[in-house]
């Protein structure tokens, strides 16, 4: 059996696929825009696997999917930004491409990758937060992925952190990801602009001239240049990040928290402030051991690398494409060293 597997991270706007080895190294990477229909999406995935499979000898495929999967990962129940509904994605793809295929929630895949190869370095209770458009979360709890009773845990982006706060696409108000994400940074800038004068801010001038030009990425670049408006937006972000982490730590008491995702790369702008807020808001502050809070080592490749690792581990455990992954098998995916 080849040591190489293909990992594919299927996001709402783009798809990244790579051939990955058993040390988490990507050998050959492809990208594509995410098609809008299920048929076009499946055709695109088959084409990526066909192309990579023609260049490398691979033994299986792992898919990191941004959506709700059943606990056994056999079925994608719903994915807000993908066309699949109650779809047996892995089994059907396996029949088309002739390789074993395994599906995993994207944040769980990222948590597996950070745990095996990255910043989470085999922590016993580690939380990986993927902060981008929203917040995705993967939790390694007592050395294994924690999924909850029905496969949806941990859905941390939608815990309410500001009662009656900003509206969220989930239907609630004040969700954590509405204050602590790339898109939230943009909303914070709009609110700060309405609240005060920002005479020396280039970002404020740009926003006045063309409000649509302000993105999370632009705010991070402005903050790196010392722009006061951008720095104030990151101070707000850091404060909500620290507060949310303190709430989560009161439930799970993790030893390690890794901040990944698109905003994870800008961790130098907020991580120290978030740590301070976290330490101050924690119940029993000063009398308990603080979790280490780190930036990602794998960046936006974590989901893709983790998907490949899930496939490799499932294959080495003797699973077949049509046999769904049991908890014990996934536990070994995280426990194996
Ligand atoms: Zn929400």
């Amino acid at each position: 059996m080849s040591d190489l597997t293909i990992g594919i991270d299927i996001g709402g706007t783009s798809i990244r696929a790579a051939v990955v080895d058993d040390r988490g190294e990507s050998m050959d990477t492809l990208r594509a825009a995410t098609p809008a229909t299920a048929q076009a999406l499946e055709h695109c995935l088959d084409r990526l696997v066909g192309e990579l499979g023609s260049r490398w000898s691979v033994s299986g495929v792992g898919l990191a999917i941004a959506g709700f999967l059943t606990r056994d990962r056999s079925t994608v129940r719903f994915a807000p930004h993908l066309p699949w509904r109650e779809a047996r994605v892995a089994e059907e793809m396996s029949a088309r491409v002739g390789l074993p295929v395994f599906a995993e929630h994207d944040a769980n895949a990222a948590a597996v990758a950070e745990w095996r190869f990255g910043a989470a370095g085999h922590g016993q209770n580690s939380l990986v937060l993927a902060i981008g458009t929203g917040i995705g979360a993967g939790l390694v709890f007592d050395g294994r992925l924690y999924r909850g009773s029905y496969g949806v845990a941990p859905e941390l982006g939608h815990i309410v952190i500001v009662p009656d706060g900003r509206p969220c696409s989930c239907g609630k108000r004040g969700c954590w990801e509405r204050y602590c994400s790339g898109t939230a940074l943009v909303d914070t800038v709009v609110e700060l602009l309405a609240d005060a004068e920002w005479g020396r801010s280039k970002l404020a001038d740009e926003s006045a001239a063309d409000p649509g030009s302000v993105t999370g990425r632009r705010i991070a670049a402005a903050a790196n240049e010392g722009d006061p408006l951008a720095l104030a937006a990151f101070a707000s972000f850091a404060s909500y990040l620290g507060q949310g982490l303190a709430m989560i730590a009161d439930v799970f008491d993790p030893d390690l928290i890794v901040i990944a995702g698109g905003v994870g790369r800008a961790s130098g702008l907020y991580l120290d402030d978030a740590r301070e807020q976290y330490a101050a808001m924690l119940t029993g502050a000063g009398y308990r051991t603080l979790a280490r809070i780190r930036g990602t080592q794998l960046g936006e490749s974590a989901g893709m690398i983790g998907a490949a690792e899930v496939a490799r581990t499932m294959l080495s455990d003797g699973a077949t494409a049509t046999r769904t992954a049991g908890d014990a098998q996934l536990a070994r995916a995280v426990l194996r060293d």
Side-chain angles (χ1 to χ4, degrees):
M1 188 182 91
S2 166
D3 271 346
L4 303 176
T5 52
I6 294 174
I8 307 182
D9 192 352
I10 309 166
T13 53
S14 67
I15 298 171
R16 299 179 73 204
V19 174
V20 182
D21 72 10
D22 58 0
R23 292 165 303 152
E25 301 287 339
S26 302
M27 328 288 289
D28 190 354
T29 306
L30 296 174
R31 269 177 187 270
T34 307
T37 68
Q39 196 182 19
L41 173 56
E42 285 156 11
H43 181 74
C44 175
L45 295 175
D46 296 354
R47 182 179 57 77
L48 293 171
V49 169
E51 202 173 315
L52 291 170
S54 71
R55 297 202 282 262
W56 302 83
S57 170
V58 297
S59 53
V61 180
L63 306 175
I65 298 172
F68 290 95
L69 279 70
T70 50
R71 201 173 191 282
D72 65 6
R73 270 87 66 216
S74 65
T75 304
V76 177
R77 304 208 64 182
F78 169 73
H81 307 293
L82 297 173
W84 286 319
R85 301 289 181 268
E86 300 292 348
R88 295 183 72 81
V89 171
E91 187 181 321
E92 289 172 7
M93 185 171 170
S94 178
R96 294 194 309 272
V97 301
L99 284 168
V101 180
F102 306 92
E104 183 53 87
H105 185 274
D106 62 346
N108 282 344
V112 167
E114 293 286 356
W115 193 87
R116 283 278 288 138
F117 308 116
H122 298 213
Q124 184 68 10
N125 295 306
S126 51
L127 172 68
V128 174
L129 278 192
I131 306 182
T133 312
I135 296 179
L139 183 68
V140 173
F141 188 60
D142 268 345
R144 52 183 288 174
L145 275 175
Y146 180 78
R147 300 175 182 285
S149 302
Y150 306 105
V152 297
E155 198 55 62
L156 301 179
H158 299 281
I159 55 175
V160 173
I161 199 153
V162 178
D164 294 323
R166 296 174 186 166
C168 182
S169 58
C170 75
K172 296 189 292 186
R173 298 183 79 95
C175 293
W176 195 23
E177 69 176 36
R178 300 303 306 121
Y179 292 84
C180 210
S181 64
T183 45
L185 278 168
V186 177
D187 292 344
T188 303
V189 161
V190 170
E191 285 180 11
L192 289 169
L193 273 168
D195 286 350
E197 294 292 322
W198 298 88
R200 293 173 297 104
S201 166
K202 207 169 135 196
L203 184 64
D205 296 342
E206 285 171 21
S207 182
D210 179 7
S213 70
V214 176
T215 61
R217 199 178 291 266
R218 175 66 196 114
I219 297 166
N224 277 321
E225 292 162 7
D227 186 289
L229 173 59
L231 289 172
F234 268 101
S236 162
F237 177 97
S239 172
Y240 285 117
L241 178 59
Q243 287 178 51
L245 289 177
M247 286 167 63
I248 292 158
D250 279 344
V251 180
F252 294 116
D253 191 21
D255 49 41
L256 180 63
I257 297 164
V258 178
I259 309 295
V263 186
R265 284 179 306 181
S267 61
L269 288 168
Y270 58 80
L271 217 49
D272 287 344
D273 287 351
R275 277 193 198 102
E276 218 167 277
Q277 188 70 23
Y278 167 79
M281 297 293 288
L282 212 51
T283 305
Y287 298 94
R288 58 191 272 188
T289 306
L290 297 177
R292 289 165 296 151
I293 305 176
R294 289 186 189 165
T296 172
Q297 276 181 18
L298 302 172
E300 289 176 288
S301 300
M304 182 175 75
I305 292 169
E309 181 61 13
V310 166
R312 183 187 344 278
T313 308
M314 296 299 291
L315 286 165
S316 73
D317 284 345
T320 68
T322 50
R323 188 172 133 209
T324 55
D327 291 338
Q329 287 161 328
L330 238 303
R332 282 201 289 282
V334 182
L335 282 168
R336 202 180 67 165
D337 58 28

